[in-house]
Amino acid sequence: MRAEYRVLGPLEVLLDGEPVAVPSGRCHLLLAALLLRPNQLVPVHELVDRLWDGSPPNVDRAHKTLHMVVRRLRVALGEADCVQTRTGGYAAVVEPDQVDLLRFRALAGSGDFGAAAALWRESVLGNVVSDVLHREDVPRLIDERLTVLERRIDADLDRGLSSELVAELRSLVADHPLREQFWSHLMLALYRSGNQAEALNAYQDLRSRLADELGVDPGPALQELHQRILRAEVTPGKRVRVPRQLPHGVRNFVGRKDELGELATTAGVTVVHGVGGVGKTALALQWARDVRENYPDGDLYVNLRGFDPDVQPVDPAAAAEMLLIGLGVDEVPAGADARFALLRTTLVDRRLLLLLDNAASARQVLPLLPAAAGVRVLITSRNQLRALVSQHDATAIGLQELDFEAARSLLAVVLGEPRLDAEPEAAREIVERCAGLPLALRVFAERVARFPDVPLREFVAELRSERLDAFSDFYDVDVRAVFSWSYRALDDESARMFRLLSVHPGQNFDVSAAAALAGVSVTQARRLLERLVADALVQTPSPGRYSLHDLLRAYAAELCGDDEAAVLRITEWYVHSLENAALVEKPIALVRADEITSGVVPRGFTSRFDALAWVREEWDNLHAVLREAAARGRERLALLIPTHLERFFVYNQPRWSEAAEMFEAVQTFGTAREQGFLLLKQAGLYSDLGRGDDALASFEEGLRFVREAGERTAEVAGLINLASHQEILGQIEEALATSSLAAEVSAEIGNGYMESAARSNVAYMLNLLGRYDEALVASDRAVVIATEIDDEDEHVLARLHAVRGKALTGLGRHVEAVAVLEPAAKALAELGDSMYESVALRDLGDALVELDERANAVVAWRRAVELLRQLDEEQAEALAARLAELE
């Protein structure tokens, strides 16, 4: 049975997902007071103060009443009872993942501010009646939440979000009108969305509020921001992101004093090696978490999966990509050598901790090693990696099995000293049979702890009787016995879940995926997973995520065999969940999944942000599912993953090269029609990656497929995108011909929206060729078509007017050009189209210079340079040079 407690909203208690009725009044208040300080003693006098709102009756009566309330609460909680009596008071004794407050603090501490903020619900403890609680305790909680919100919005602004945040920030400043950080965020978001005037108005609004209510001015930081916005000097440059990637370590770490001391005295690169299950990762994480504050530039973690039984070790180039993404690099090179070079460059002059876990060989990690004295590298492996020691001055620490005293201490932490003291011989035999391996000791101890009244000798007798002849030599025999013994003690449902988890193709998973894998409800899956966690057969590397140690995964896989039904369930669940996410992002799909045949219920999403968060979390799993589906001949399910994932590529640019691999893996799957759609998407991705020839080939083949399939709308879209690619390659005449063909086909099929877009491209290419008369005619025609569309598109019209303004400038009709370009630039800013806004502002500056309106031209070009620095550094520098001359 699993209990869950929630205080970040109305007070709630759940048992296996079902609500537990807690009596309102003093029981509610008592539980809330204890849960606000989980696992801490809350003295009796404080609880009395809370329960009587600071005005208790006489001491004896108050204490007696408190005891009665405690009894009532325990009875009401039943199996969810977490209240323990301590000397001088009471405590709510819970695991870290049982209370939303502890999960919130853990996520915030790891830097996952978005996930932390998402745990908050309605008004905090709104169903608990207590003036003193809401006066003294709740405000502190709310302040924690607001601080995390500030950090999350900081990160969102750093990622380039601006217009997407404005509505949320307006709500936050309305709710917290004196919190200056939210006003600062709002001003930045407005300014970066192209709304300078509104940003300045926001500052004046705050200034008036502070003067009226407190008689003070905004703080120095906000005043400085105001001045920079006035001077249009705020740049959208990103701050260096500080990665904090270390996963949770094991609970109840014991021993290893000598090894921790050796880690503390070494520098550079250290290799911790030893047999599987000896605790290499646990040691590395324990030390790394203790010293992470010594590395102000962050910590990076990659599981290189060197010894996973079902997958290949992580390719060094893929590992470099993960590290670069963690370091905040937006554009990861496609080539392996370029990635390694960029990684070394990015790490120069940083004080950072790098943990490379489960390395297979020296060859796997050598390209990832930085030439930077400030980066501390810790590597774990079952191999000694002697090449690193002999050739690269690494320090090696060989990790041995725990000695008897340390192993006994680990058992004592879980089982308690009195229990071991009562049966010393049984305790010694347990250590011997577990071979001193922490993994085996934890698996054994966690199960035994569930039966406090059963003598240890009975468990030892069971362990002796385990039959091991069916197992290979993959493990130490006694360790296999521990796994087998713990597995056989599971109930049928938990045992089945354990076996099936080996089928999941990814590194970790959430409860919904586990439910689909086993074909059970989410509530039931959570109960089964927590049972396996309690027996140390499953780990929780981060809140809400589960994984198996590779030894336990291999053991589960031997028991499970090849379960085709489970593979189909998890594949269909991921594919259909991804399709639901894609339809939230854009509610039209030309290629859809077939009906679900396995009975799973895919995830649904209520917002684009939920969908995007899920895709980011599950990216690696989706890639693994694709590989598994392709290997098993489930071609249609495989091709749907890159087809739907493509809608999210814009948010995950550093992993575009990996996305290209997904397309390449399925490019021969599906019907000719589906291959055509896939190839056109692949072509766009190749274009973004700078793979010009590959893009042209994919465009050519994809266009042939969709033409043959009669998909004329897709043909027009492909032609428009091909023209853009040709322009990037400098093939302007070819781009003009392609745009003209797109205009003709869209006219044939009566698609006014696409025809106006295609003719806008025609005018744009004519401008580039200096054929301004023809460009003006083409743009005028496109404007007429665009305004005749039933659902007139402001974005298309704004782009059209920008192109038309360029033609007017080229013809020397500068007054007309300014009249067109000024509103076009403003509209494009409001729509968040930075590329076309920069073009419109550049051309506007050209026209203003010709009209000798130099001051206005400077303003336009400053903004254009600011935008271009995000988009095209070469163009930005060229325009900046012209701006310097003008100033």
Side-chain angles (χ1 to χ4, degrees), residues 43 49 69 154 190 241 266 283 304 401 406 421 475 558 584 625 672 674 680 687 721 741 754 762 803 807:
D49 188 62
V69 174
D154 277 338
L190 287 167
R241 188 164 41 183
T266 56
L283 171 68
L304 295 172
E401 294 82 355
D421 289 342
Y475 308 101
E558 287 185 9
V584 169
V625 170
E674 290 166 345
L680 292 177
S687 179
N721 291 332
L741 178 57
M754 299 193 87
V762 169
V803 173

Side-chain angles (χ1 to χ4, degrees), residues 21-42:
V22 178
S24 57
R26 287 184 177 143
C27 282
H28 247 188
L29 182 51
L30 173 62
L31 181 60
L34 294 174
L35 290 174
L36 288 178
R37 292 162 63 178
N39 298 317
Q40 297 180 38
L41 169 70
V42 184

